[in-house]
């Protein structure tokens, strides 16, 4: 089939208006927001239904055309961007944006892949429920992408990763069949739980078209504190103290370094330091409760004990919604503002919780041996053992020359992660960025099983080739 015939066949499935071939129409899909990955595609195809998605996949499979699925195009590892060959079909799920059903009795909702995370959260709110997945890009990232990458974010400590929030899944397979298991069952032990194959597979095994999501009671009380402390070890001790006092009510526990707070204050108009003095480290601590009463007392008691035991030097509790938002902005802007400080070499890693302080110490020392003036901005989901170990360039250094050391620096940091029994990809996925790192980081038997599954579900290798494995 010629390119022109192939495009016509795609148009016959989704309508000519939903097959984009002009360069300017395709452009927004082929570069990710940070401009780190650029690709080319024969066409951007925008199906409106599961049936259309499945038929597009069957056609691409028959014609041996690579298919790159894409949701909100916010992924950080290049998983949603095609290669430079120009042969690929970029499959945008953006038009599949219906909330199919909300079921308050079962505490579930069925949403399509293109529903944004923010829209899913809002849909849950309409029946006074919480969909707890929460990430900085929630306004534009989509459920399909969240599940395909098994997204993490700031509520994992209480509610788990994306895969923990799913009861059922609908997936279009490479050959055009639809694996439909949109069940709402909390218990179902009828063999292999196939949905978990597709979550975290980054579109290499099938295309997620819809999901049954779990809903939770909405909190009736939220208490947010910004705590200054001296060491990451104190942060872990504070976590133990907080969970001992509040249990599952600890819904956020994020670590921030002073330099990261400085970056946010410097590059965010109106931002203020919540505490009078500077501290080497901070924790953003949030408690949520289904009961409207008593949570403020719990927070006060946690903070008093922490100060008494020397686990914290100072703390502020948000007294208003605006103050809470201001505390959160210090955390949520931390990634963005690094670009104002020049080049930044990133690591999205996790280690067992108890090893976090040792990891931070060892990795920081190793990075400073490589580049003594580097500015280490290590922050993130310390309650999950997940650190975004980012390294900003020295002040005044050449950005390109610094970024040229990306691989070298990754090797040093990842070696420490591996030695501590950690993961080199905690929550962002593998995509293009870490594909070649996987063989060294993954058990060879696990890799062989992954390849066998890939060969079974995608024998022609059309699904997101060049990603993950
Ligand atoms: Zn994160």
């Amino acid at each position: 089939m010629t390119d022109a015939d192939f495009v016509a066949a795609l148009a016959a499935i989704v309508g000519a208006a939903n097959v984009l071939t002009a360069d300017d129409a395709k452009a927004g899909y082929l570069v990710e927001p940070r401009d780190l990955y650029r690709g080319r595609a024969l066409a951007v195809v925008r199906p409106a239904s599961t049936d259309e998605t499945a038929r597009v996949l069957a056609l691409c499979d028959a014609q041996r055309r690579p298919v790159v699925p894409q949701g909100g195009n916010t992924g950080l590892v290049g998983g949603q961007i095609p290669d430079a060959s120009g042969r690929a079909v970029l499959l945008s799920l953006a038009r599949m944006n219906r909330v199919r059903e909300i079921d308050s009795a079962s505490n579930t909702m069925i949403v399509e892949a293109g529903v944004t995370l923010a829209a899913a959260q809002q849909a849950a709110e309409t029946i006074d429920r919480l969909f707890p997945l929460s990430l900085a890009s929630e306004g534009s990232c989509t459920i399909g992408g969240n599940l395909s990458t098994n997204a993490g974010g700031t509520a994992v400590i209480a509610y788990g990763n994306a895969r923990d929030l799913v009861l059922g899944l609908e997936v279009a397979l490479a050959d055009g069949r639809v694996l439909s298991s949109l069940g709402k069952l909390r218990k179902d032990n009828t063999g292999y739980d196939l949905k978990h194959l597709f979550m975290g597979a980054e579109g290499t095994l099938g295309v997620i078209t819809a999901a049954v999501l779990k809903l939770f009671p909405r909190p009736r009380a939220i208490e947010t504190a910004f705590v200054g402390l001296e060491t990451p070890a104190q942060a872990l001790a504070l976590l133990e103290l907080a969970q001992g006092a509040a249990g599952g009510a600890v819904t956020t526990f994020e670590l921030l370094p002073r330099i990261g707070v400085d970056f946010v204050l410097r590059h965010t108009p109106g931002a203020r330091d919540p505490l009078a003095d500077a501290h080497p480290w901070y924790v953003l601590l949030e408690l949520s409760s289904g009961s409207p009463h008593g949570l403020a007392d719990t927070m006060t008691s946690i903070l008093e004990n922490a100060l008494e035991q020397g686990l914290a030097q100072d703390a502020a509790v948000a007294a208003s919604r605006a103050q809470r938002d201001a505390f959160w902005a210090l955390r949520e802007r931390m990634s963005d503002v690094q670009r104002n400080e020049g080049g930044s070499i990133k690591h999205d890693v996790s280690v067992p919780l108890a090893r976090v302080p040792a990891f931070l110490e060892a990795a920081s020392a190793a990075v400073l041996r490589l580049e003594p003036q580097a500015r280490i901005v290590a922050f993130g989901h310390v309650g999950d053992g997940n650190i975004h170990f980012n390294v900003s360039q020295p002040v005044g250094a050449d950005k390109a020359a610094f970024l040229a050391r990306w691989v070298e620096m990754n090797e040093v940091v990842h070696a420490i992660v591996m030695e501590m029994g950690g993961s080199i990809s905690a929550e962002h996925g593998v995509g293009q960025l870490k594909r070649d790192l996987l063989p060294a980081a993954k058990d060879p038997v696990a890799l062989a099983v992954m390849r066998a599954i890939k060969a079974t579900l995608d024998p022609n290798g059309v699904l997101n080739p060049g990603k993950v494995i």
Side-chain angles (χ1 to χ4, degrees):
M1 204 181 261
T2 64
D3 282 359
D5 289 345
F6 178 63
V7 167
L10 290 168
I13 298 170
V14 299
N18 295 303
V19 180
L20 315 178
T21 54
D23 284 344
D24 57 341
K26 292 186 292 189
Y29 298 87
L30 298 176
V31 56
E32 46 100 85
R34 300 165 308 164
D35 201 11
L36 285 182
Y37 295 98
R38 284 173 174 271
R40 293 175 58 225
L42 179 68
V44 172
V45 178
R46 294 163 44 91
S49 67
T50 302
D51 177 59
E52 287 183 6
T53 304
R55 286 160 64 203
V56 167
L57 288 182
L59 173 66
C60 292
D61 193 46
Q63 297 298 318
R64 305 293 190 266
R65 293 280 183 169
V67 182
V68 179
Q70 186 181 95
N73 193 12
T74 59
L76 298 171
V77 292
Q80 76 278 27
I81 300 294
D83 66 15
S85 71
R87 289 193 70 244
V89 167
L90 190 133
L91 184 70
S92 167
L93 282 298
R95 287 177 70 221
M96 290 197 60
N97 60 358
R98 289 185 310 137
V99 176
R100 290 186 192 168
E101 185 204 278
I102 305 185
D103 178 346
S104 60
S106 303
N107 273 314
T108 57
M109 63 180 179
I110 303 178
V111 304
E112 293 183 342
V115 171
T116 65
L117 175 52
Q121 293 164 344
Q122 283 155 18
E125 275 178 36
T126 61
I127 59 156
D128 199 27
R129 296 291 191 279
L130 172 75
F131 180 62
L133 190 67
S134 177
L135 6 148
S137 60
E138 61 199 21
S140 41
C141 66
T142 60
I143 293 296
N146 293 149
L147 301 186
S148 293
T149 58
N150 185 30
T154 52
V156 173
I157 188 170
Y159 298 99
N161 293 297
R163 71 164 74 248
D164 300 308
L165 305 174
V166 174
L167 292 173
L169 214 57
E170 180 186 83
V171 184
L173 301 179
D175 61 9
R177 286 179 298 167
V178 175
L179 180 70
S180 185
S181 59
L182 290 174
K184 303 175 182 176
L185 302 178
R186 307 257 164 182
K187 292 191 166 183
D188 176 20
N189 286 347
T190 53
Y192 308 150
D193 195 343
L194 297 176
K195 65 177 180 286
H196 284 294
L197 272 183
F198 300 96
M199 291 187 281
E202 301 180 40
T204 61
L205 299 179
V207 175
I208 294 173
T209 49
V212 184
L213 303 178
K214 287 185 199 171
L215 301 178
F216 295 79
R218 263 180 94 187
R220 301 292 172 225
I222 296 176
E223 291 289 328
T224 311
F226 195 75
V227 186
L229 19 81
E230 269 168 9
T231 64
Q234 288 180 340
L236 282 194
L238 175 62
L239 175 62
E240 208 174 323
L241 178 77
Q243 287 180 323
V250 178
T251 45
T252 298
F253 198 89
E254 298 281 315
L255 184 71
L256 296 78
R258 178 66 211 182
I259 187 171
V261 171
D262 278 337
F263 284 6
V264 176
L265 296 175
R266 195 178 302 158
H267 301 293
T268 311
R272 284 183 52 232
D273 189 339
L275 301 178
D277 298 316
H279 302 272
W281 295 91
Y282 299 89
V283 163
L284 178 69
L285 166 64
E286 193 160 274
L287 309 179
S288 310
S289 169
S291 160
H293 309 295
L295 197 65
D297 291 344
T298 306
M299 178 64 97
T300 304
S301 134
I302 290 169
L303 296 176
E304 278 175 3
N305 282 332
L307 291 165
E308 222 164 76
Q309 295 173 31
L311 304 179
Q313 275 62 57
D314 197 4
V317 178
S320 65
R321 177 69 203 235
Q323 238 173 25
R324 177 183 176 228
D325 290 348
F327 290 5
W328 268 98
L330 292 170
R331 166 62 186 85
E332 294 201 316
R333 298 263 307 129
M334 189 151 293
S335 204
D336 259 8
V337 294
Q338 286 166 43
R339 111 184 45 177
N340 300 98
E341 293 284 336
S344 172
I345 297 177
K346 321 264 188 198
H347 307 82
D348 166 39
V349 299
S350 64
V351 294
L353 220 54
R355 308 298 302 272
V356 167
F359 163 73
L360 287 170
E361 198 176 317
S364 301
V367 161
L368 293 177
R369 273 195 298 276
L370 280 183
E371 177 49 75
Q373 302 305 318
R375 296 172 295 163
I376 297 167
V377 187
F379 69 101
H381 322 292
V382 69
D384 313 319
N386 175 194
I387 301 294
H388 297 309
F389 192 85
N390 295 350
V391 183
S392 282
Q393 67 173 65
V395 175
D398 180 68
K399 179 177 174 182
F402 179 72
L403 291 178
R405 306 185 72 179
W406 190 293
V407 171
E408 180 192 6
M409 202 169 279
N410 276 186
E411 275 173 6
V412 165
V413 173
H414 289 160
I416 295 166
V417 169
M418 295 305 295
E419 183 200 305
M420 293 188 171
S423 168
I424 62 161
S425 176
E427 65 170 3
H428 296 165
V430 176
Q432 309 179 34
L433 178 67
K434 293 182 178 173
R435 189 194 68 159
D436 294 336
L437 303 180
L438 222 51
K442 197 98 184 162
D443 171 69
V445 178
L447 259 187
V449 172
M450 282 168 62
R451 291 207 175 93
I453 292 169
K454 170 75 173 169
T456 298
L457 287 172
D458 183 22
N460 299 317
V462 298
L463 291 177
N464 217 0
K467 316 293 169 54
V468 186
I469 56 171

